[in-house]
Amino acid sequence: MEFLKDLNQQQFKAVTHDVGSVFVIAGAGTGKTRTLTMRIAYLISQGYDPKRILAVTFTNKAAREMKNRVMDMVGPSASQVWMYTFHAFGLQILRRHIHVLPYGYLLNFHIIDEDDVKVIIKDVIKSLNLEPKDYSLKHVRNIISLYKTRRLEAFEFSEEETIYLGYVRYLREHQFVDFDDLILYTQELLKTNEDIRTYYQQYFEHILIDEFQDTDVIQYDIIKMLGISHKNVFVVGDPDQSIYAFRGSHYANNQKFLTEFSANQIILDQNYRSTNDILNTANLLINHNQNRILGKALKSDLGLGQHVTFYTAQNDYQETYFVIDEIRRLKRQGISYQDIAILYRNNALSRIFEDALIKEGMPYKIFGGISFYERKEIKDAIAYIRVCLDPIENFYLKRIINVPRRGIGLTSLEKLEKHAKSEGLSMFDAIESVPITGKSKQALLEFKETIESIQEASQELNHLDEFLATVLDISGYVDMLKADHDETSEDRISNLKELVTVFKRSEGYYEGNMKQKVQQLLDQIALYTSLDKSSDDESIILSTIHQVKGLEFKAVFMVVMEESIFPSEFTLSDPRELEEERRVCYVGITRAKRYLYISHAQRRMIYGQFKLNYASRFLKEMRQQKVEQFTTSNSSSIQKTYLSKGDKVTHTVFGDGVVVSMQEDVATIAFPAPHGIRKIVESHPALKKKGLSN
C-alpha cells in the first residue's frame, strides 16, 4: 500500500490498528485528518465492505474532502462509505425509520431552516393568544434548542414551556423537523427500538469519528449505542482543543470513551506546523490543566525557531502600535499580510486594532465576523444618536423605531411614512397626527417620548461618553440584550461598551457644543466604514481564537492577554471553565507557524475608563522554566526616547525624521519620501532621538 509509506511511526500504528477501539489523541498540526482518511483507506484495502464503514465529522466540507481523498487512494468503491456529519447521518436513519416513532411522522417529512423556525415560533405565539412583540424570537428559539439538547433542565417561565409544547406540536402536525430533531429523534429511535438498534450495530463493522473532542452528550450516546457491542470505534481528536462547551460539547466524553470502550490510546505529537519554541510555550501552558489526558507534548523537526516575543505595553495604545510596527517589519521580511493574524478573546477587542489598521492604510478583514462599526448593535446605537441629533433623519428612524420591540409593525410604519409624505413632514413630526389608533399609536407616541427624553437629558451633559451612555440607557437597548440570554448577548453588550470607549477617547479631539462634537465623531466613524476594503486575500486577519481553530498562520499576535479579559472574569471562579479558557489560549498559540507575539497592557481603557490591568496568569504559566526573549516597554534592551513635538529622530529603516505630534506613547513622525508620515511607539528599539548616545 503505497499511501502508507510517508506516515510517521505513530500515524502508521494508528492507521494499521487491527480491531478494538482506539482514541487517536492528535495534537495541533500532527496530521489528524490525514491519519483518519488513511485509516478508512486501509480498512477498505483490507477487504472491509465500504458500505459498512461509518465515518462522521462536523462539517459537510470536511466530509466531502475526506471522501475524495479516500477515493484517490483506493478507488471509486470508497464512495460507498457512510461519510456524513452527525446531522446528515441522522437524516439517513430518519428517512428509513422515523415512522416508527409515536409522533405520526411519514418518511417524506420536511427539514426546516432557522428562518422557518422563527416564523413558526411567531405563529405559535399568536395561536396561544400571546403578543409576539412581548417575546424575542431569537431568545425563544435559543431556549427551545437548549431544552431539546438537554442543556436546559427546566423552563424559567411557564409561558416558555407553553410555547415550546406548541412549537413541537406544530412541527409534528405539519411533518416538519428542525436540525435539533435530526439528532434527537435518531437517539430516540436507537434507544427505544431494539430491532433498529441491533440492525445498525451489526451493519456498521467500523465507526470512525473526527473531532471527537467536540461531541456533545447526545452524539456520544449515539456513538455508544452503535459501537459498544463490537467496539471497533476509531476516534480522532485533541482534548486540549476542546473549546466549544458553550455549544454543548462535553469534555468528559474523552475520558468516558477511553473507559467505556476499553480503548487503546495512540498519541500523535509530531507537529508539522510550528517551530519548537512555539510548541514549548503551548506545552508549558496546557500542562497546568489538571483534568486532561496526560502524555501529549508536541514536538517538531523544524528547529527551535524564532523565540516567542512577550511584550508589556504601558497602555493599550502602545500595544496597538507595537503590533503595527511588528507587522511592518514582518512585511519587509517577506511575510504577506494574509499570513498574519491578530487574535483576541472576544469580538469587542478588535476595535482599537481596526482603527489603527485603517489609519495606517493596512488591509485587514474580520475572519468569521463583522467589522466593529458594521455590527448591528453598533449601527443601531449610531442610528439612535443620529435621530436624537436630528429627528428628521427618516432613514435612521426606520431602523430603530421598533428596536427594542414596541409593537410597531410594518403596516403602522408604512402608514406613518405615507402620512408624513402627504403632509410634508418628517416621520418623527408626523407621529402626533398620523391616523392610527390603539396600541400601535400608543407605541409610536412612546417612541417619540423616548427620543425627546434623551434630547432633554443630553442638554445637561458635557462629555461624549456620557451622551452615548444616556442614549443606551433611556432607549432600553442594553436591557433588551440582557433579556435575550443567548450566546451572543454578552459579546454585543461588550461591543456597545467598547463604543463608549471610542466616545471617551474622542474627547478633546473635536470642538463646539455637544451636538457639534457628536456630529464630527459620527463623520469620522462614517469615513472608517466607507473606506474601500481590499477585495483580494492580501489582508491581515483579525479574529477571535474560536473562529480560527483549524487554521494556521506564519505570524500570530495574541493581544490583550490580561486577567479578567483572558481568562474572562466569568471563568475565574469555576475551575472547569478556567481550564477551558486555558485550552482556548492553547489553540491560539498553536495557530502560529514561525512567529508568535503575546502582548498585554498595564493600563487599558475599558468601557470608557482607564483601568490598571494585571498580566494574564497564562503568561506566567507559559514562561515557566523557559528560556526566552522577553520584550517589554520597561526592558533595558529598549531605548526610551521620551519624545516631544518638534524633536528630531532617526529610524533604522526610515532614516531621519521630525516628530509632528504625540498621542500618549505613540509618535507621529514625518520622514522623507517615500516613507512619509508614520506612527511609531516611542520606545521602539529601531527609533532613537537625535542627540542620545547609542
Side-chain angles (χ1 to χ4, degrees):
M1 289 168 278
E2 188 71 15
F3 60 83
L4 298 178
K5 68 177 185 178
D6 293 327
L7 296 175
N8 65 39
Q9 184 179 351
Q10 290 301 96
Q11 290 172 334
F12 184 86
K13 182 179 177 182
V15 168
T16 59
H17 180 79
D18 188 14
V19 292
S21 294
V22 179
F23 192 164
V24 181
I25 299 174
T30 58
K32 161 185 72 66
T33 303
R34 185 176 181 229
T35 301
L36 184 62
T37 54
M38 286 196 178
R39 173 64 176 174
I40 299 168
Y42 177 79
L43 290 172
I44 296 172
S45 69
Q46 293 299 295
Y48 288 100
D49 186 348
K51 296 192 298 293
R52 304 182 73 176
I53 297 173
L54 171 64
V56 184
T57 187
F58 275 80
T59 68
N60 290 308
K61 181 183 178 183
R64 288 193 302 271
E65 290 178 351
M66 285 171 60
K67 181 170 283 191
N68 289 334
R69 289 183 189 180
V70 178
M71 289 174 66
D72 289 340
M73 285 184 270
V74 297
S77 65
S79 64
Q80 300 175 327
V81 174
W82 283 55
M83 189 91 70
Y84 297 111
T85 64
F86 275 103
H87 290 93
F89 170 69
L91 177 60
Q92 296 300 313
I93 301 298
L94 296 179
R95 285 294 187 208
R96 292 165 169 80
H97 308 289
I98 197 171
H99 63 288
V100 175
L101 292 173
Y103 307 130
Y105 278 108
L106 304 175
L107 296 181
N108 63 342
F109 63 86
H110 306 289
I111 305 168
I112 57 174
D113 61 21
E114 285 302 304
D115 289 337
D116 297 329
V117 168
K118 290 176 182 177
V119 171
I120 292 168
I121 291 173
K122 189 174 182 178
D123 288 345
V124 169
I125 291 172
K126 288 180 179 177
S127 72
L128 295 169
N129 294 318
L130 301 172
E131 282 288 342
K133 68 180 176 65
D134 294 335
Y135 298 89
S136 163
L137 295 181
K138 186 176 181 181
H139 171 68
V140 175
R141 170 60 180 128
N142 189 52
I143 292 294
I144 290 173
S145 183
L146 289 173
Y147 187 77
K148 279 189 173 187
T149 56
R150 317 288 196 265
R151 288 180 283 164
L152 181 71
E153 294 182 0
F155 293 99
E156 185 177 357
F157 303 105
S158 59
E159 292 88 350
E160 291 176 347
E161 184 172 9
T162 303
I163 295 169
Y164 166 77
L165 294 172
Y167 171 77
V168 171
R169 185 167 56 250
Y170 186 105
L171 263 56
R172 292 171 180 174
E173 288 174 354
H174 291 81
Q175 296 290 308
F176 291 157
V177 300
D178 61 23
F179 268 59
D180 289 331
D181 292 332
L182 293 175
I183 303 293
L184 292 169
Y185 287 155
T186 299
Q187 181 198 35
E188 186 174 348
L189 269 171
L190 295 173
K191 191 180 288 288
T192 60
N193 193 292
E194 185 177 356
D195 290 340
I196 294 175
R197 181 173 66 251
T198 301
Y199 172 79
Y200 285 106
Q201 284 174 341
Q202 295 175 352
Y203 184 82
F204 294 121
E205 296 177 332
H206 285 272
I207 299 171
L208 303 96
I209 311 294
D210 192 19
E211 301 288 1
F212 181 76
Q213 78 279 344
D214 294 333
T215 55
D216 62 25
V217 172
I218 298 170
Q219 291 162 346
Y220 180 83
D221 194 37
I222 292 171
I223 296 166
K224 184 176 177 179
M225 285 189 286
L226 292 175
I228 198 67
S229 57
H230 56 68
K231 293 184 178 176
N232 287 328
V233 181
F234 184 98
V235 307
V236 181
D238 184 5
D240 289 335
Q241 296 189 73
S242 178
I243 62 173
Y244 294 121
F246 66 93
R247 294 180 185 171
S249 66
H250 195 53
Y251 185 83
N253 288 349
N254 299 297
Q255 189 59 55
K256 284 178 69 176
F257 179 79
L258 286 171
T259 304
E260 295 178 350
F261 283 79
S262 303
N264 290 293
Q265 182 176 303
I266 299 174
I267 296 176
L268 305 186
D269 55 9
Q270 182 66 39
N271 178 282
Y272 296 96
R273 174 186 299 161
S274 308
T275 53
N276 278 299
D277 201 60
I278 293 170
L279 298 180
N280 292 341
T281 301
N283 292 334
L284 284 168
L285 173 73
I286 204 63
N287 280 339
H288 283 78
N289 272 5
Q290 300 300 309
N291 181 28
R292 66 184 292 257
I293 297 171
L294 302 176
K296 177 170 70 67
L298 297 177
K299 59 182 183 295
S300 170
D301 290 335
L302 298 172
L304 186 65
Q306 179 80 25
H307 285 300
V308 175
T309 298
F310 294 87
Y311 182 78
T312 300
Q314 295 175 355
N315 54 58
D316 51 357
Y317 204 77
Q318 188 182 67
E319 180 192 27
T320 304
Y321 275 92
F322 166 77
V323 172
I324 294 291
D325 289 341
E326 286 301 306
I327 290 175
R328 286 198 187 105
R329 189 177 64 81
L330 292 169
K331 182 70 171 172
R332 292 195 299 271
Q333 292 181 1
I335 308 294
S336 62
Y337 284 143
Q338 66 191 34
D339 286 327
I340 299 172
I342 302 173
L343 306 182
Y344 34 78
R345 181 61 183 86
N346 64 69
N347 279 308
L349 301 173
S350 74
R351 197 277 309 169
I352 192 170
F353 296 96
E354 284 190 70
D355 284 0
L357 291 168
I358 291 170
K359 288 175 181 175
E360 298 303 312
M362 296 172 129
Y364 75 93
K365 60 184 177 184
I366 304 291
F367 189 85
I370 303 170
S371 295
F372 182 82
Y373 294 110
E374 294 174 358
R375 294 168 192 166
K376 181 181 183 305
E377 58 274 14
I378 301 301
K379 292 176 79 72
D380 285 347
I382 289 172
Y384 260 106
I385 293 169
R386 290 194 179 279
V387 171
C388 291
L389 292 180
D390 192 354
I392 69 170
E393 292 275 9
N394 289 348
F395 176 83
Y396 297 104
L397 182 141
K398 287 192 289 185
R399 180 181 181 96
I400 48 89
I401 195 168
N402 203 40
V403 183
R405 289 181 179 83
R406 300 183 174 88
I408 304 171
L410 287 175
T411 302
S412 297
L413 192 58
E414 288 170 357
K415 286 181 179 179
L416 176 62
E417 188 169 20
K418 185 177 180 180
H419 175 70
K421 286 181 179 178
S422 67
E423 297 296 319
L425 300 170
S426 70
M427 292 174 68
F428 186 84
D429 290 333
I431 288 175
E432 294 278 359
S433 60
V434 63
I436 298 174
T437 59
K439 291 183 178 179
S440 295
K441 182 61 177 284
Q442 183 61 35
L444 285 169
L445 291 171
E446 287 175 359
F447 169 74
K448 188 170 188 290
E449 184 179 341
T450 296
I451 299 301
E452 289 172 343
S453 297
I454 296 172
Q455 290 173 325
E456 183 178 354
S458 64
Q459 291 177 4
E460 306 298 321
L461 303 176
N462 298 312
H463 301 292
L464 291 170
D465 59 314
E466 294 175 345
F467 175 76
L468 175 57
T470 300
V471 171
L472 296 176
D473 179 36
I474 296 177
S475 68
Y477 198 97
V478 174
D479 291 336
M480 174 194 72
L481 294 179
K482 289 178 179 177
D484 276 351
H485 294 302
D486 68 28
E487 63 188 42
T488 67
S489 295
E490 186 181 320
D491 265 359
R492 296 176 69 192
I493 292 170
S494 294
N495 287 334
L496 289 173
K497 289 179 176 178
E498 180 62 19
L499 187 63
V500 174
T501 296
V502 173
F503 274 61
K504 176 78 170 182
R505 275 222 146 101
S506 299
E507 197 69 51
Y509 282 85
Y510 306 110
E511 297 179 349
N513 58 33
M514 178 61 70
K515 182 176 181 178
Q516 291 169 327
K517 289 193 292 184
V518 173
Q519 186 61 62
Q520 292 171 61
L521 175 56
L522 293 183
D523 289 345
Q524 189 62 47
I525 291 173
L527 289 175
Y528 284 172
T529 57
S530 64
L531 286 173
D532 292 332
K533 292 189 172 59
S534 176
S535 59
D536 58 26
D537 292 330
E538 181 59 14
S539 297
I540 300 158
I541 300 297
L542 273 68
S543 178
T544 64
I545 295 171
H546 281 93
Q547 290 286 351
V548 294
K549 184 175 175 289
L551 302 181
E552 58 186 38
F553 307 91
K554 286 184 180 178
V556 167
F557 292 84
M558 291 182 62
V559 298
V560 200
M561 292 292 296
E562 293 149 29
E563 201 73 2
S564 297
I565 296 177
F566 196 9
S568 160
E569 63 180 322
F570 304 107
T571 66
L572 299 179
S573 60
D574 189 328
R576 292 173 301 177
E577 291 190 5
L578 183 59
E579 291 208 346
E580 175 139 335
E581 284 287 279
R582 191 174 283 110
R583 292 195 293 272
V584 174
C585 188
Y586 176 85
V587 168
I589 292 169
T590 54
R591 299 312 93 197
K593 297 167 67 175
R594 299 294 181 269
Y595 303 92
L596 176 63
Y597 301 83
I598 299 173
S599 63
H600 72 102
Q602 296 170 331
R603 293 172 68 242
R604 180 174 304 280
M605 186 171 281
I606 301 176
Y607 310 149
Q609 294 184 337
F610 267 115
K611 292 185 178 179
L612 295 177
N613 288 342
Y614 294 103
S616 168
R617 67 187 66 194
F618 297 157
L619 272 73
K620 181 179 179 181
E621 293 171 358
M622 67 181 71
R623 295 202 301 266
Q624 199 173 42
Q625 301 174 10
K626 183 173 181 290
V627 179
E628 80 232 344
Q629 174 182 308
F630 183 62
T631 307
T632 172
S633 60
N634 296 316
S635 169
S636 60
S637 66
I638 296 177
Q639 175 67 53
K640 298 188 76 67
T641 55
Y642 303 108
L643 298 174
S644 303
K645 182 179 179 181
D647 283 346
K648 294 180 179 179
V649 297
T650 184
H651 190 279
T652 55
V653 175
F654 304 140
D656 293 341
V658 177
V659 177
V660 177
S661 64
M662 292 292 301
Q663 184 174 358
E664 296 182 17
D665 298 312
V666 177
T668 300
I669 304 172
F671 292 102
H675 306 296
I677 302 294
R678 300 281 180 171
K679 290 183 182 291
I680 303 172
V681 175
E682 68 170 346
S683 58
H684 197 282
L687 183 67
K688 289 183 174 59
K689 183 178 178 180
K690 281 200 162 183
L692 290 180
S693 62
N694 296 332

